[in-house]
């Protein structure tokens, strides 16, 4: 079956532009996570969606970052007025059930964002 | 102090060697994950543990809840095992994952 997909796979943008990243979770997965991995660093939690509940945005680094998810489907991560420090691989993951369960996370291939 | 500590940070070994990567954590968890990240960046979940031991092929993962420690073992290591291995824990109190810094493993032929 299809796994988690993300688009675009690569995005190069100029400083100050807005970008939108997309994640399609595995069908039926209720929980969706966004992470960021800067070059040479570990994964950094950004935001978490669980069904129709209010998302946990506590990991978003600034108000330039926002994310949306409609129900249990596609999610978009938007970065406004991009800065060079936003350059990273943005990873999306989904799990079948609510967080706190012991489900393994299924990761997408990531979007590599480069801000010039 | 980081809530999830991995050791070693870097490990280089010869093909065929038995590999052990360690993970210690200081928080209450509901589960511990071992993940593998290849140089191309793709991440694969290897194991999710809440107790005991799991085995998949040449990979073995163990966890000791009382000692707050987990190990990932690779038997008969092979150059294709070269990757970054990441330990992450699911907090008992909420849904976040806390990640270790990773262990970069290089297996030489």
């Amino acid at each position: 079956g299809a796994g988690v997909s993300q688009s675009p796979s690569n995005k190069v943008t100029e400083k100050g532009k807005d970008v939108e990243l997309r994640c399609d979770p595995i069908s039926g997965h209720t929980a969706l996570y966004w992470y960021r991995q800067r070059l040479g660093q570990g994964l950094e939690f950004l935001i978490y969606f669980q069904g129709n509940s209010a998302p946990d945005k506590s990991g978003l680094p600034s108000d330039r970052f926002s994310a949306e998810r409609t129900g249990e489907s596609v999610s978009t991560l938007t970065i406004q007025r991009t800065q060079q420090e936003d350059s990273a691989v943005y990873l999306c993951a989904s799990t079948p059930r609510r967080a706190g369960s012991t489900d393994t996370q299924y990761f997408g291939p990531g979007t590599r964002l480069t801000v010039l | 102090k980081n809530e999830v500590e991995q050791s070693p940070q870097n490990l280089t070994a010869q093909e065929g060697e038995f590999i052990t990567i360690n993970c210690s954590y200081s928080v209450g968890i509901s589960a511990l994950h071992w993940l593998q990240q290849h140089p191309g960046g793709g991440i694969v979940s290897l194991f999710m543990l809440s107790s005991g031991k799991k085995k998949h092929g040449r990979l073995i993962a163990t966890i000791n809840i009382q000692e707050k420690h987990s190990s990932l073992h690779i038997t008969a290591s092979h150059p294709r095992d070269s990757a970054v291995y990441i330990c992450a824990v699911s907090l008992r109190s909420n849904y976040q994952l806390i990640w270790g810094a990773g262990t970069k493993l290089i297996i030489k032929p």
Side-chain angles (χ1 to χ4, degrees), chain A residues 3-4 23-33 35 69 92-97 103-108:
Chain A
V4 177
C23 171
D24 285 85
I26 294 173
S27 178
H29 281 196
T30 62
L32 186 147
Y33 302 76
Y35 298 93
R69 187 186 187 196
C92 174
S94 68
T95 62
R97 292 189 292 269
D103 283 335
T104 297
Q105 294 198 352
Y106 296 83
F107 283 86

Side-chain angles (χ1 to χ4, degrees), chain B residues 2 15 17 32-33 43 64-66 70 72 79 98-99 102:
Chain B
N2 293 330
E15 182 174 357
E17 286 189 35
L32 183 143
H33 305 258
I43 294 177
N64 185 317
I65 297 295
Q66 286 71 33
S70 175
L72 176 69
I98 300 180
W99 302 83

Side-chain angles (χ1 to χ4, degrees), chain A residues 33 35 37 43 45 48 56 58 91 99-105 107 112, chain B residues 30-31 33 35 37 40 43 45 47-48 50 86 90 94-97 99:
Chain A
Y33 302 76
Y35 298 93
Q37 186 176 30
L43 285 163
F45 166 79
Y48 160 74
D56 177 357
S58 61
L91 289 156
S101 72
T102 53
D103 283 335
T104 297
Q105 294 198 352
F107 283 86
R112 184 175 298 277
Chain B
S30 58
H33 305 258
L35 306 107
Q37 184 172 31
I43 294 177
S45 288
F47 295 103
M48 181 280 301
S50 53
I86 303 168
S90 300
N94 61 32
Y95 38 77
Q96 287 192 15
L97 283 186
W99 302 83

Side-chain angles (χ1 to χ4, degrees), chain B residues 24-95:
Chain B
S24 296
Y25 55 92
S26 58
V27 292
I29 70 168
S30 58
L32 183 143
H33 305 258
W34 281 103
L35 306 107
Q36 181 191 54
Q37 184 172 31
H38 280 279
I43 294 177
V44 175
S45 288
L46 298 175
F47 295 103
M48 181 280 301
L49 294 162
S50 53
S51 65
K53 175 181 176 179
K54 287 190 176 181
K55 184 176 188 294
H56 186 258
R58 296 180 294 106
L59 300 177
I60 303 166
T62 63
I63 187 168
N64 185 317
I65 297 295
Q66 286 71 33
E67 295 185 2
K68 295 188 174 181
H69 181 270
S70 175
S71 293
L72 176 69
H73 305 286
I74 305 174
T75 62
S77 59
H78 190 275
R80 65 174 173 267
D81 296 327
S82 298
V84 174
Y85 291 83
I86 303 168
C87 169
V89 299
S90 300
L91 296 184
R92 191 185 299 138
S93 58
N94 61 32
Y95 38 77

